[in-house]
Structures are given as structure tokens and as C-alpha cells.
Amino acid sequence: HGPYQLHEPGYGLDQPEYSPYEDEIPDPQARMLAIKNAKAYLLKTSTKSGLNLYDHFANILTKILDEQPTNAVDIIENISKDVKCAQFRKKMDTLRDEYQIPPTSEAAEKCKALFVKEHGEEEEELDEEMGQPTLPNVMETAFYFEQAGVGLSKDESYYILLALKNLINVQPIQTCRFWGKILGLEMNYIIAEVQLQEGEEEEETGEEGEETVEEGEKEMGEAEEDEQKEKEAEPPKSTYKPPPEIPKEANGTGTNKYTYFVCNEPGKPWVKLPPVTPAQIVCARKIKKFFTGRLDAPVVSFPPFPGNEANYLRAQIARISAGTHVSPTGFYQFENADNDEEEGADAYEENPEFEPPPVAEMVESLATWAHHVKSILKQGRCVWINPSQKSEENEEEEEEDEEGEEQQEERGPPLLTLISEDEGMKDIPAWTAQASTNLIPEYSVAILQSNRWPGAYAFASGSKFENIYFGWGHKYSPENHIPELPPPAQAEFPSGPGITETVDPTVEEEMAFKAAQEEALAAAEEGEDDEGEDD
């Protein structure tokens, strides 16, 4: 009700000592009593929550006046609920609250080392280092792959760029490249493909050789002790001869042409992966395991994998690189055109006379792409080796065995083979090429996707190209993966009269055999007595 008008009976009640209707003014004592009763009712405490309506209204009005929300009448119910919930929160606690680090602060703390410069390093030196050819331009590569909807976020790409910069500052690296990212169940792997400076790989090989010599000396000493123990009682020796072990390829060649460093997140230390062996590649083709993100995790599978997750990761990297690393046809050429394919297998160089084909041609024809990484043979090597070759001393002794064990030399496709010759999987082609956009074809980029290794991509724009991988590290299979069955149980030894158990004799046969023995013994004693009398 608004202010009272002159003709209304309530006019003048708010003005002291003035009222045109004195006879209609209520008794002030009764009015104060009614007000006290109403306030007492509002102050009545609830038996459930322990609150009263008077304080609740006061808190609601205080909250509304402090915050002054828009359209308070529409949210009065929510404000009442918030005020009531605030009454049940403890304002003080005898124990200190545990400080929880926000996820953003924790992520920033991990990447803090990437942004800290070393002592004495100036911005000019940083700019010079950023221009070195050994440091890859990850941001430019991410930009091109972004045109096809492939890649990481800009922040993560920049963190990886800084992590690669730290790796180059620590390790003697000649060339460095961001290989890709393999996903894991617990953590992921960020992989850097590097080529060490000349002399570093030889030193590593020398250290491995020294360790091998020391291990050989220990084994020789243990063998001498075992021989002395076996002289007393030699058990029967087994005639089984295990198949010869296929040696791994030397560092800088074949499957070990490059060295790989991995880390779980940018900012964490880089870990160098060991060289891969043919046995690991052969076994990796027979199993399918998800990565956990821990390099020391065991690989439980059948057939048993010879190594831990670090070796399995290195084997998968070698397989993916051999099958998916491609380049525009003609970008690389053999150093000596007169050499055979085998002699110049790994020796290729950039073609200075290369003319990049248009994007439309690279999308329509797969003959414009070629493999620049040598394929891996069934043996687990890029270059076949005869495992039956032995030293000159053993050749004369085992010539007959070698004649029956000779293996046929295995040959794979030559280097720089066109991807149009790759076999598909049933009705699925091995590769799919497409342009990044059809709206502006003059500025589009040719994108190549591998269907055999999902997650492997390549782009080409003019004379620029790059390969990258984002996936689980598994090869595509049109059918479900069927693990290899264990070998059948060994057959029982053939039974014959020499090992067959005889039937137990009866009591009559035992008594007859005992009587015959007694008669023979008595006859022998009589013969001895007769000879003594004759003498």
C-alpha cells in the first residue's frame, strides 16, 4: 500500500502528534504486543534444523543487499537455499586443511624447467640456437598437419619443441626430429629420432664390446669351475643344438640407423632406448600388447618377448618407421647411380634437381610417393645374413650339417620403392591420399594416411614434407588378433619289450623258481666236493 491519502482512515499514523481520525487509531500497547508476538513466533527454533525464521530472513536480506543480484525476486529460493546450507559448514576446525595443488599449477610446475635458461645464456644466443638446423621446426610441422586435423595442441607442440632443445643441449646430436607420440594405458611416450655425431656411436659400440669381453671372461671362469665339478660325475649331455642367434645390425645401419629418445611428458628427462635386435622384431610381429608408459614394465606374452617394454617400444618404432616413412618421388636419389641396390641401399641424398609435383597430382596418384626407409625382412633385419656361417675351425667339422641347413637368401623391396606397389588388406588399400581442403585448392596440402598403421600420416607442400605418428603402436588387422598357440605336448617314449613292465609271477611260479635255484646250488656244491677228492 502506498502513502495514505487525506480521505483514507490511516492517514497521519506515521506523523507524530497529528491524526484527523483520533477515534480510529488502534491502541499502541496492543499494537506493540502484536509485534512482539509476531517476532516471538519468528524467533521460534526449529526442532529439525535448529534455525529460526527471523535470523534466516535477516541473513537473506543481508546477502541480497551485499551482492545486489539482478532479478532477486526470481532467485529468492536459491538464495534461501544457499544461506541455509552455509549454516551447516564449519567455520573453524582444529585440524589444518590439506593444501591441494590445482591441476594448472601442477602442470605449470612440470613445464617450468623448459622455460628456465641456463646461467650466462642471453636472448641473442637463444635466437641463434633456435635457428640451428639440428633443431626441428615442430611448430611449422604442426601447422601443416593441423590442416588435415592431425596433431597436438599448440601448447603441447611448443613444449615438445623446448624439450627437444634441451635434449640437443645435453646430447651430442647431429640431427633431430620429432618422430611422434605413442599412447599408453598409464602414460604416453613422446619420441625423438636423432642421429648422433660421428664417433659417439663407435664409443658406445666399444663400451658394449668391453662389457661383452668381461662377461665372456666371467663365463670362462665359471665354465672351468663347472668342468672340475663335472669330472667327478658327468651326467649325460644333451644333443640338442639351438638355432644360431641372428646378430643385430650395427649402429647407424638398417633398423639401428637412428637413435631414439623418449619421455612421458615435456619437461621430464629423456631416456635413450636400446638398439633393437632381430629376435625382438620377429617376436613383436607375433604379439599385440598395449603400452603402459613404464619402460621397465615386463612384457607378458606368448611367445615370450626377449626384453621389457623399452625393447618392445623400440621394435615397434622400427616397424612403423620402415612401413610408413615416405617422401615425394624424386626428392631423394642414390649417391652413386652405378651402384647396385644392395651396395647403395642406405646411401641416398637429396636431389638438387627435384621439382615438386602439384598437390592435385600427389592426391590422385600414389606413384608420386616413395619409401625412403628400407623394409624389414622376415629375419628381423634390413640386410639378410646367413645364420649358418661359422668359423673356419667349425666349418670342417660340421660341413655335413651345413649342407642340410643352408637357407635361401631373402630379398625385400629395394629402397625408394613407390608406395603404389604396397599390398592392401583385403578390400582396404594400404594408403589413402587426400587434399587438406577443396575450397581453396591452390593453398591446399597433400595429406597421406597409412591404413596399415593407423595413426601414421605424411604431408607434402612443395618441397616440404614430413612424417609423423600418433597412435597406440599397433598394426591394423582385418581380423581379430589370434595369439600363437603353444607347441603340442611332447610325445611319450615308444614302448618296447625292454621297457615294458612284466606281469607279477604267481605263488606257484615263485616256489618253482626257488626250488630250481636250490637244486642248482646243491649241484654246484657237489661238483666242488668231487674235485676236492680227486686232488
Side-chain angles (χ1 to χ4, degrees):
H1 194 282
Y4 290 96
Q5 303 298 326
L6 295 174
H7 63 279
E8 293 180 350
Y11 181 81
L13 292 176
D14 55 340
Q15 299 180 6
E17 298 180 358
Y18 174 78
S19 176
Y21 304 100
E22 294 182 359
D23 54 340
E24 296 183 8
I25 296 176
D27 186 6
Q29 295 182 355
R31 190 175 185 181
M32 293 299 298
L33 181 61
I35 293 174
K36 291 180 180 178
N37 293 335
K39 187 176 181 180
Y41 172 76
L42 296 177
L43 289 172
K44 187 180 294 185
T45 304
S46 172
T47 57
K48 294 182 179 179
S49 61
L51 304 177
N52 60 76
L53 198 57
Y54 185 88
D55 293 338
H56 184 61
F57 283 156
N59 294 332
I60 291 176
L61 293 175
T62 303
K63 185 178 180 65
I64 293 174
L65 295 175
D66 291 342
E67 298 180 359
Q68 295 185 359
T70 57
N71 301 326
V73 67
D74 298 331
I75 60 174
I76 186 67
E77 293 82 2
N78 297 333
I79 296 175
S80 174
K81 186 178 180 180
D82 295 340
V83 171
K84 190 176 292 185
C85 291
Q87 297 291 334
F88 297 97
R89 296 177 183 173
K90 294 183 179 180
K91 297 182 180 180
M92 296 183 61
D93 196 348
T94 56
L95 299 177
R96 291 185 177 181
D97 295 337
E98 183 180 357
Y99 177 70
Q100 296 181 355
I101 302 176
T104 54
S105 301
E106 189 176 357
E109 191 67 26
K110 293 179 181 179
C111 300
K112 183 179 179 180
L114 300 174
F115 296 90
V116 177
K117 295 191 297 185
E118 298 178 358
H119 297 288
E121 186 179 5
E122 299 178 357
E123 294 182 1
E124 297 179 358
E125 296 178 356
L126 179 62
D127 295 336
E128 292 177 2
E129 291 179 2
M130 294 292 287
Q132 288 182 357
T134 56
L135 185 64
N137 194 345
V138 179
M139 301 305 295
E140 181 183 11
T141 303
F143 167 76
Y144 283 108
F145 279 112
E146 188 180 1
Q147 309 305 313
V150 179
L152 307 172
S153 63
K154 292 183 179 180
D155 291 344
E156 187 172 2
S157 298
Y158 190 71
Y159 295 156
I160 292 174
L161 176 62
L162 296 178
L164 293 176
K165 175 182 174 296
N166 293 343
L167 176 63
I168 292 175
N169 294 336
V170 174
Q171 299 290 338
I173 294 174
Q174 183 177 358
T175 60
C176 180
R177 191 181 75 86
F178 175 49
W179 187 89
K181 182 177 181 179
I182 289 184
L183 307 178
L185 299 177
E186 301 176 10
M187 296 178 288
N188 304 325
Y189 288 115
I190 296 173
I191 304 167
E193 182 183 83
V194 305
Q195 194 170 7
L196 300 178
Q197 296 178 0
E198 297 181 359
E200 297 294 333
E201 296 177 355
E202 297 178 358
E203 293 178 2
E204 294 178 1
T205 308
E207 293 176 359
E208 292 178 0
E210 292 177 359
E211 294 178 358
T212 306
V213 171
E214 293 177 358
E215 292 177 359
E217 292 178 355
K218 292 181 180 179
E219 291 178 358
M220 290 291 293
E222 294 176 357
E224 292 178 359
E225 294 178 359
D226 294 341
E227 289 179 0
Q228 293 177 359
K229 294 179 180 178
E230 290 177 358
K231 284 182 179 179
E232 300 176 359
E234 294 183 358
K237 296 182 179 180
S238 174
T239 58
Y240 170 75
K241 294 181 181 179
E245 183 179 358
I246 300 174
K248 69 174 184 178
E249 293 180 295
N251 294 335
T253 60
T255 55
N256 293 319
K257 183 176 181 180
Y258 295 100
T259 305
Y260 294 90
F261 289 84
V262 298
C263 67
N264 297 120
E265 293 180 2
K268 291 188 176 181
W270 291 93
V271 180
K272 181 181 176 182
L273 295 180
V276 67
T277 62
Q280 294 170 354
I281 293 179
V282 172
C283 185
R285 288 170 171 167
K286 301 178 182 179
I287 64 176
K288 181 174 285 189
K289 298 284 291 184
F290 281 101
F291 293 97
T292 61
R294 294 178 286 106
L295 293 175
D296 58 346
V299 180
V300 182
S301 64
F302 185 85
F305 184 79
N308 54 13
E309 186 167 302
N311 303 106
Y312 181 56
L313 176 63
R314 181 64 183 85
Q316 292 299 95
I317 290 174
R319 296 179 61 199
I320 296 172
S321 300
T324 63
H325 282 193
V326 296
S327 57
T329 304
F331 185 86
Y332 291 112
Q333 64 178 3
F334 292 107
E335 293 183 357
N336 298 325
D338 299 336
N339 287 1
D340 296 335
E341 294 177 356
E342 293 182 0
E343 296 178 358
D346 294 334
Y348 60 84
E349 59 183 2
E350 293 186 11
N351 183 9
E353 301 178 357
F354 170 72
E355 296 182 1
V359 174
E361 183 180 352
M362 301 193 71
V363 172
E364 293 176 358
S365 176
L366 295 179
T368 55
W369 301 84
H371 292 276
H372 62 263
V373 176
K374 200 169 180 62
S375 62
I376 303 177
L377 306 176
K378 294 181 179 180
Q379 193 182 46
R381 292 169 52 98
C382 292
V383 180
W384 188 82
I385 186 173
N386 188 4
S388 60
Q389 289 181 351
K390 305 189 180 195
S391 59
E392 297 180 357
E393 299 178 358
N394 298 332
E395 281 183 358
E396 297 179 358
E397 298 177 358
E398 303 182 1
E399 283 181 357
E400 298 179 358
D401 296 341
E402 288 182 356
E403 291 178 359
E405 295 177 359
E406 285 184 358
Q407 298 182 7
Q408 187 177 1
E409 183 177 357
E410 185 181 356
R411 290 179 177 270
L415 197 62
L416 303 182
T417 302
L418 304 180
I419 67 172
S420 57
E421 301 179 8
D422 293 356
E423 297 181 1
M425 297 137 315
K426 292 187 177 181
D427 298 335
I428 304 175
W431 298 91
T432 300
Q434 61 182 359
S436 59
T437 177
N438 295 326
L439 301 176
I440 312 175
E442 57 270 20
Y443 294 108
S444 61
V445 178
I447 304 296
L448 189 67
Q449 177 183 357
S450 174
N451 297 325
R452 189 179 299 275
W453 290 96
Y457 296 89
F459 86 89
S461 176
S463 59
K464 295 181 180 179
F465 76 94
E466 189 59 75
N467 297 271
I468 207 164
Y469 180 83
F470 299 107
W472 295 94
H474 291 166
K475 189 176 182 180
Y476 174 77
S477 176
E479 301 175 355
N480 294 333
H481 175 69
I482 301 176
E484 184 177 348
L485 297 176
Q490 188 175 5
E492 295 288 343
F493 192 83
S495 61
I499 62 172
T500 304
E501 186 178 359
T502 59
V503 182
D504 292 341
T506 60
V507 178
E508 292 77 5
E509 293 176 350
E510 289 182 357
M511 296 299 294
F513 179 74
K514 186 176 181 180
Q517 284 184 335
E518 292 178 355
E519 292 178 0
L521 182 61
E525 290 178 356
E526 290 179 359
E528 291 178 0
D529 295 340
D530 296 340
E531 290 178 359
E533 292 176 359
D534 295 339
D535 295 340

